[in-house]
């Protein structure tokens, strides 16, 4: 361990100056406490209901570093079970997804039903002499399981508030930005998974970062990977910049929405000028603009006044990112490793051709073979390595861009700032991180978690 854990954790994140202590990315003790106080406590995304439509369907997910089975029992209820046999701890499910009638442990054969109950014990009569109370030895079940518009979440802590309350206005807005993209969103088969040698929080804070594309993604942009742009004239390219589809460059209008427990949505704000430029370019931007869904009345109602103009990227605290038709989990695998998962969604009602386009674009941009992910992953890996040293650890990181300069507005329960490129969403996330780490229980977290910033990011 590089440091003694210095509490309170709020002292490691200074929201007035934007300074963040580097130990939070490197310290093994802090990492272990994150697993306990953040992941084992929060509502974690499991999968989408369309991935487990029938009884017995299951999908293996994670809560922190712990494997859990998200499944649908015989009554059609969603269940989330800790994937560890109660006898000697063996994993009872080895497949990443599939359909099962029960889960048979491969060690001694204890067998569990889809609801986690222990239903079979070899030698129950002869070896256990019927002395084992099977009702007490089922798989550990999640404290609460719930779904929001088909997106399934679970928390291991029964004291957690209900999912809708946990999400609040901003968490719901974040999920609505993907859930309302069509009449019925369904997950595409296959989740892309790869490991990057970075601390999970760097992968999270980057999702709000619209400062880096002009440098980090310069090569991707130069390679012409947004093929629609390659056909545009110089004047049309200027218009495309106004339309906000170039990806690189610093766009002037940003919005950051901030919610209790650390949920945030940050990125370009949708402006009239942007919409006009898009209308002029029309079909020439085919597939590059993914905002048409905002015209749907259901989407307008769900997103509300603030959400409707909110572009960019949501993070459902702690580690669920949405972009376009994709959703990404940043799963912690130690202080210096993160497994990145990418789920892709399509509106069920779309044509096969349009679905294929969505999937192609998704694979092309993010995921193990995604051009942008290659650029990002390299930076996060190097940041994690270069921050570990005893000297490097003495100096804080700087998240101070624009701190205190943007007045906070509040409309329909959503606190947000409208400004140019900034680091407010990142700092909001780290402030929430420190509150989660300081709180010893859900009750305490409910009291200390900042819900509405009053000035700047506070
Ligand atoms: S470890 Fe599962 S039956 Fe023994
Ligand atoms: Fe990036």
């Amino acid at each position: 361990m590089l440091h003694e854990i210095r509490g309170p954790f709020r002292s490691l994140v200074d929201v007035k100056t934007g300074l963040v202590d580097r130990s939070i990315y490197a310290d093994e003790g802090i990492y272990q406490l994150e697993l306990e106080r953040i992941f084992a406590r929060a509502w974690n995304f499991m999968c989408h209901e369309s991935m487990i439509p029938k009884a017995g369907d299951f999908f293996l997910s994670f809560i922190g570093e712990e494997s859990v089975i998200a499944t649908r029992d015989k009554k059609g209820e969603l269940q989330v079970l800790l994937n560890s046999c109660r006898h000697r701890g063996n994993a009872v499910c080895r497949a990443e997804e599939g359909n099962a009638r029960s889960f048979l442990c491969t060690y001694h054969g204890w067998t569990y039903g889809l609801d986690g109950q222990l239903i079979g014990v070899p030698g129950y009569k002869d070896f256990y002499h019927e002395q084992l109370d099977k009702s007490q030895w089922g798989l550990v079940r999640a404290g609460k399981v719930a779904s929001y518009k088909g997106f399934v979440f679970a928390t291991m802590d029964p004291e957690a508030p209900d999912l809708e309350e946990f999400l609040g206005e901003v968490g719901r807005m974040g999920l609505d930005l993907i859930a309302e993209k069509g009449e019925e969103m369904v997950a595409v088969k296959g989740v892309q998974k790869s490991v990057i040698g970075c601390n999970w929080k760097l992968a999270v804070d980057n999702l709000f970062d619209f400062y880096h594309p002009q440098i980090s993604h310069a090569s991707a942009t130069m390679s012409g990977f947004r093929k629609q742009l390659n056909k545009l004239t110089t004047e049309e390219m200027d218009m495309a910049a106004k339309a906000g589809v170039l990806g690189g460059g610093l766009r002037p209008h940003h919005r950051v929405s901030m919610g209790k427990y650390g949920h945030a949505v940050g990125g370009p704000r949708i402006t009239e000028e942007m919409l006009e430029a898009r209308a002029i370019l029309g079909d020439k931007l085919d597939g590059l603009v993914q905002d048409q869904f905002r015209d749907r009345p259901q989407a307008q109602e769900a997103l509300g006044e603030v959400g409707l103009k909110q572009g960019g990227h949501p993070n459902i605290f702690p580690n669920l990112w949405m972009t376009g038709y994709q959703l990404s989990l940043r799963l912690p695998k130690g202080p210096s490793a993160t497994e990145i998962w990418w789920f892709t969604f399509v509106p069920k009602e779309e044509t096969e051709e349009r679905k294929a386009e969505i999937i192609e674009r998704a694979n092309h941009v993010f995921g193990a073979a995604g051009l942008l992910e290659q650029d990002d992953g390299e930076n996060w890996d190097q940041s994690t390595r270069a921050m570990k040293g005893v000297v490097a650890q003495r100096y804080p990181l700087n998240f101070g861009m624009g701190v205190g300069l943007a007045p906070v507005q509040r409309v329909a329960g959503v606190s947000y700032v409208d400004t140019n490129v900034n680091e407010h969403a990142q700092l909001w996330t780290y402030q929430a991180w420190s509150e989660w780490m300081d709180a010893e229980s859900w009750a305490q977290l409910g009291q200390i978690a900042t819900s509405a910033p009053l000035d700047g990011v506070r």
Side-chain angles (χ1 to χ4, degrees):
M1 199 191 292
L2 293 165
H3 287 256
E4 283 295 306
I5 298 177
R6 283 171 288 145
F9 285 93
R10 276 198 101 137
S11 69
L12 304 183
V13 178
D14 186 337
V15 291
K16 292 212 167 61
T17 56
L19 302 185
V20 172
D21 195 281
R22 295 186 187 208
S23 61
I24 75 169
Y25 306 96
D27 188 300
E28 181 67 42
I30 289 178
Y31 173 74
Q32 288 301 327
L33 204 64
E34 288 177 333
L35 296 179
E36 192 180 317
R37 294 201 168 167
I38 297 177
F39 291 95
R41 189 184 274 169
W43 282 91
N44 294 259
F45 177 70
M46 297 285 100
C47 63
H48 191 262
E49 285 198 50
S50 61
M51 298 166 76
I52 50 170
K54 302 186 303 291
D57 288 347
F58 67 86
F59 178 78
L60 222 53
S61 197
F62 280 91
I63 288 183
E65 288 199 50
E66 296 181 84
S67 169
V68 290
I69 312 164
T71 184
R72 207 179 270 279
D73 68 20
K74 286 186 183 142
K75 293 188 210 134
E77 304 279 325
L78 296 166
Q79 299 280 354
V80 171
L81 312 166
L82 194 64
N83 187 14
S84 176
C85 181
R86 294 293 302 281
H87 182 231
R88 288 291 186 283
N90 188 22
V92 297
C93 180
R94 309 285 182 91
E96 292 182 357
E97 57 191 303
N99 183 277
R101 279 191 301 240
S102 58
F103 299 104
L104 167 87
C105 178
T106 53
Y107 200 167
H108 311 90
W110 283 24
T111 303
Y112 302 90
L114 296 168
D115 57 0
Q117 290 221 32
L118 180 59
I119 52 176
V121 175
Y124 179 66
K125 200 160 167 209
D126 295 337
F127 307 151
Y128 280 101
H129 309 286
E130 299 185 354
Q131 297 290 301
L132 179 75
D133 180 357
K134 284 192 267 188
S135 72
Q136 299 300 306
W137 291 93
L139 293 175
V140 173
R141 298 171 61 182
K144 289 183 179 179
V145 181
S147 128
Y148 178 80
K149 298 188 180 179
F151 295 82
V152 181
F153 290 77
T155 168
M156 295 314 280
D157 192 334
E159 303 297 319
D162 287 347
L163 177 61
E164 294 237 357
E165 188 187 334
F166 167 77
L167 292 171
E169 300 285 346
V170 174
R172 288 198 297 274
M173 178 208 292
L175 283 170
D176 284 337
L177 284 168
I178 190 162
E180 294 295 344
K181 276 201 152 61
E183 295 291 322
E184 184 183 351
M185 298 303 287
V186 290
V188 172
K189 257 213 151 328
V191 177
Q192 296 187 61
K193 303 175 179 177
S194 64
V195 176
I196 294 179
C198 68
N199 184 273
W200 68 275
K201 295 186 291 303
L202 284 171
V204 170
D205 97 40
N206 171 265
L207 72 92
F208 301 117
D209 186 325
F210 284 79
Y211 183 36
H212 79 289
Q214 57 168 356
I215 300 294
S216 286
H217 299 309
S219 58
T221 304
M222 285 189 275
S223 77
F225 86 116
R226 289 185 174 90
K227 55 182 187 285
Q228 297 89 332
L229 299 177
N230 302 335
K231 299 179 200 139
L232 300 185
T233 64
T234 314
E235 291 84 60
E236 286 169 337
M237 277 300 271
D238 289 344
M239 196 56 74
K242 289 196 177 115
V245 296
L246 291 192
L250 297 179
R251 293 176 222 161
H253 302 292
H254 275 244
R255 172 167 289 181
V256 174
S257 298
M258 295 160 278
K260 191 173 182 181
Y261 304 126
H263 312 305
V265 192
R269 177 161 55 90
I270 296 173
T271 60
E272 287 307 315
E273 185 195 32
M274 191 186 269
L275 295 175
E276 279 164 23
R278 288 175 183 183
I280 291 168
L281 288 167
D283 288 351
K284 293 190 170 144
L285 298 180
D286 209 16
L288 264 189
V289 175
Q290 300 189 326
D291 282 320
Q292 294 89 339
F293 76 98
R294 293 171 197 261
D295 296 337
R296 296 176 60 245
Q298 296 94 320
Q300 299 199 341
E301 196 180 329
L303 290 171
E305 192 182 323
V306 181
L308 215 48
K309 302 282 179 218
Q310 172 74 69
H313 299 152
N315 185 52
I316 309 299
F317 194 91
N319 63 341
L320 177 66
W321 173 25
M322 271 134 293
T323 174
Y325 289 84
Q326 287 174 286
L327 186 156
S328 174
L329 276 176
R330 280 90 214 286
L331 297 168
K333 302 286 175 192
S336 306
T338 303
E339 194 165 308
I340 311 280
W341 284 14
W342 283 101
F343 302 72
T344 304
F345 293 85
V346 289
K348 195 174 177 186
E349 66 274 12
E350 277 293 357
T351 61
E352 291 309 309
E353 194 188 352
R354 175 79 183 118
K355 287 179 190 167
E357 268 172 29
I358 291 171
I359 295 166
E360 191 206 332
R361 181 183 149 103
N363 293 340
H364 196 43
V365 177
F366 292 113
L371 272 173
L372 298 191
E373 187 129 317
Q374 306 284 325
D375 300 335
D376 291 327
E378 170 72 9
N379 288 328
W380 308 335
D381 179 303
Q382 290 297 325
S383 289
T384 302
R385 285 167 199 255
M387 271 202 277
K388 277 185 194 164
V390 288
V391 178
Q393 282 280 301
R394 294 174 193 153
Y395 299 89
L397 298 190
N398 187 325
F399 289 84
M401 185 191 288
V403 158
L405 296 181
V408 178
Q409 308 182 58
R410 193 164 168 84
V411 171
V414 181
S415 295
Y416 66 98
V417 290
D418 280 351
T419 175
N420 46 15
V421 168
N422 64 80
E423 294 176 340
H424 298 334
Q426 292 93 317
L427 202 48
W428 181 256
T429 304
Y430 286 115
Q431 173 179 252
W433 173 90
S434 71
E435 292 164 348
W436 281 76
M437 293 292 278
D438 277 332
E440 283 171 14
S441 64
W442 255 111
Q444 204 183 353
L445 180 59
Q447 282 169 4
I448 67 172
T450 309
S451 55
L454 298 175
D455 195 19
V457 288
R458 288 281 311 173

